Amino acid sequence: MSFENLPLLVLLLLSVLGNNQSVAIAAGLLLILKLLGLNALFPIIESKGISIGITILTFAILAPLATGRITLGNILSAFKSPITLIALASGIFVAWTAGRGLLFINASPEIVTSLVLGTVFGVCFLQGIAIGPLIAGGLVSLVVAFTNLIK
């Protein structure tokens, strides 16, 4: 194994030690693809991976609607209590922030390494989840916009 595989191996080790199955599976699969010489798949993963991942995540989030665990009554009750209104506003804000993050990442690809490293540390050591780079990118874009506003 060459030194170019070392970052994935370190991620795999950290994720196993940090008990984070998602990062372990991702790093392990990427390492296997690399070792098998299937490098032609990486541009496809890079260009379509986020979209496919978000679709799968949305599929899982909407599943309770399909099973009937979340009903129309549950949805309507989201507008009745202060906590559910805060949850609704938080969901809107985070989705909007993640959207800004995707735009920011596409416009400033040099920031991706820092976002990914921060997310990996958060996932491995703080029981976070790997959706972090999009939200982190959105927060960075908000900070950049704010600092440009006060200059």
Side-chain angles (χ1 to χ4, degrees):
M1 186 179 339
S2 69
F3 283 111
E4 70 180 25
N5 295 326
L6 191 59
L8 284 173
L9 194 57
V10 169
L11 277 176
L12 179 60
L13 180 65
L14 286 174
S15 59
V16 169
L17 290 174
N19 199 28
N20 192 290
Q21 189 177 22
S22 299
V23 175
I25 290 169
L29 287 174
L30 288 170
L31 191 57
I32 289 168
L33 290 174
K34 201 163 167 78
L35 292 173
L36 291 175
L38 299 173
N39 296 341
L41 293 176
F42 293 137
I44 298 166
I45 294 168
E46 283 186 56
S47 67
K48 304 289 184 200
I50 290 176
S51 178
I52 292 168
I54 290 171
T55 301
I56 292 169
L57 181 62
T58 303
F59 187 70
I61 289 170
L62 294 178
L65 288 170
T67 63
R69 231 183 74 211
I70 295 177
T71 64
L72 183 58
N74 297 127
I75 294 169
L76 294 175
S77 73
F79 299 98
K80 292 182 181 173
S81 87
I83 291 174
T84 57
L85 289 174
I86 292 168
L88 185 64
S90 296
I92 292 167
F93 177 73
V94 169
W96 175 75
T97 304
R100 284 186 61 103
L102 187 57
L103 294 172
F104 184 74
I105 287 169
N106 288 334
S108 306
E110 70 281 357
I111 201 76
V112 170
T113 302
S114 297
L115 294 172
V116 169
L117 285 174
T119 298
V120 166
F121 284 113
V123 166
C124 289
F125 301 113
L126 302 173
Q127 277 101 35
I129 58 169
I131 197 69
L134 294 178
I135 297 170
L139 293 175
V140 171
S141 76
L142 290 174
V143 169
V144 168
F146 180 74
T147 54
N148 286 340
L149 242 165
I150 60 171
K151 282 185 178 178

